[in-house]
Amino acid sequence: MRVVIMGGTSGIGLATARRLADDGAEVIVTGRNPERLAAVKEVVAAEQVDSTSEEAVAAFFDRTGPFDHLVLAFSPGAAGLGPLADIGLADVRAAFDGKLFPYLFAVQRARVTGSITLVSASTARSALAGTVALAAVNGAIERMVSPLAAELAPVRVNAVSPGAVDTPWWDFLPREQRQAQFAAAAETVPAGRVGRPEDVAAAIRYLVDATYVTGSVLPVDGGFTVA
Ligand SMILES: NC(=O)c1ccc[n+]([C@@H]2O[C@H](COP(=O)([O-])OP(=O)(O)OC[C@H]3O[C@@H](n4cnc5c(N)ncnc54)[C@H](OP(=O)(O)O)[C@@H]3O)[C@@H](O)[C@H]2O)c1
């Protein structure tokens, strides 16, 4: 089984790469930061590809050729986070340009034969102040899963939708503020804790294997969106 994980050098993508490699898959990860790429030892290749560069992404998929499963696990971090009154439209555009459009382009160009799993976010279906742009981006990603599953069949298309997960995505916050935010989040979710990257990796692993599951969005949020 050959798997490409775009955004596979940190957090959720990295945990997924490790999980699949442990299970015997040939995993190719992509990212931008050369130190992060060099640190991923478990994979058959770690390639420097800026996912927002259509030229680089097209060249990557051309040289990679056909493969079984694609996982899209990158984002521009906290771009667009904040109340709409405080952010500019440039921030909103950065949120779309760093995730929705490159996800669409990767889906167009990848020569996948088995499945595509998109990583969205629970902001798509919640009512958290300060997440309008993130909700718009991830809502668009979640909404396109079912028509994509219809268009690309027999390739399966699914999404995992994480709640707060302890990854470097949160590094924009000072350590103490991050811990306070995680403690507050843990109190509000039925699972009683924030997520670990491995929690989401296990859900992606399931979807990669689940040959009768397509067009679905699987929340992996400790119950946040049902709480
Ligand atoms: N952590 C959370 O609480 C949370 C919650 C809900 C949803 N999510 C979603 O989960 C996904 C993974 O997030 P994470 O928490 O694992 O974040 P992370 O730890 O910051 O990892 C992001 C990964 O994406 C790569 N990346 C980012 N921009 C890229 C670009 N333009 N080109 C190539 N690679 C790029 C990074 O590599 P480089 O640094 O080398 O670019 C890194 O490998 C994202 O879509 C995020 O929106 C996260």
Side-chain angles (χ1 to χ4, degrees):
M1 174 166 75
R2 211 158 162 246
V3 185
V4 170
I5 303 174
M6 300 188 80
T9 60
S10 173
I12 292 166
L14 177 59
T16 305
R18 289 182 169 148
R19 174 71 196 261
L20 287 162
D22 272 358
D23 292 348
E26 268 181 42
V27 180
I28 300 168
V29 293
T30 68
R32 291 168 304 183
N33 181 314
E35 279 131 44
R36 280 180 158 180
L37 285 161
V40 191
K41 300 294 180 207
E42 300 85 349
V43 297
V44 295
E47 292 207 30
Q48 190 173 35
V49 181
D50 181 347
S51 303
T52 62
S53 160
E54 291 184 9
E55 203 183 357
V57 171
F60 167 70
F61 284 124
D62 286 348
R63 67 179 176 269
T64 302
F67 59 94
D68 302 297
H69 304 284
L70 175 66
V71 178
L72 299 181
F74 57 87
S75 78
L81 186 66
L84 190 59
D86 298 348
I87 58 174
L89 280 186
D91 300 312
V92 179
R93 282 197 190 95
F96 275 87
D97 288 343
K99 188 163 178 177
L100 176 68
F101 292 112
Y103 271 38
L104 283 166
F105 189 70
V107 169
Q108 278 183 321
R109 296 307 290 251
R111 293 168 62 190
V112 194
T113 56
S115 77
I116 299 172
T117 306
L118 313 173
V119 181
S120 60
S122 59
T123 46
R125 285 161 294 99
S126 58
L128 276 183
T131 64
V132 170
L134 299 186
V137 170
N138 290 293
I141 288 171
E142 294 193 3
R143 194 59 205 89
M144 73 192 191
V145 167
S146 45
L148 272 178
E151 276 185 22
L152 301 183
V155 172
R156 295 177 298 106
V157 183
N158 295 293
V160 292
S161 185
V165 182
D166 188 357
T167 73
W169 188 94
W170 291 91
D171 284 356
F172 70 96
L173 285 178
R175 193 180 146 78
E176 277 176 19
Q177 216 178 317
R178 194 165 67 227
Q179 282 173 344
Q181 187 133 342
F182 284 169
E187 274 179 26
T188 62
V189 297
R193 64 173 175 82
V194 296
R196 303 178 189 113
E198 294 74 19
D199 295 320
V200 188
I204 295 171
R205 179 75 186 99
Y206 162 72
L207 290 171
V208 164
D209 267 351
T211 52
Y212 203 58
V213 179
T214 190
S216 62
V217 177
L218 176 56
V220 188
D221 60 8
F224 169 60
T225 48
V226 297

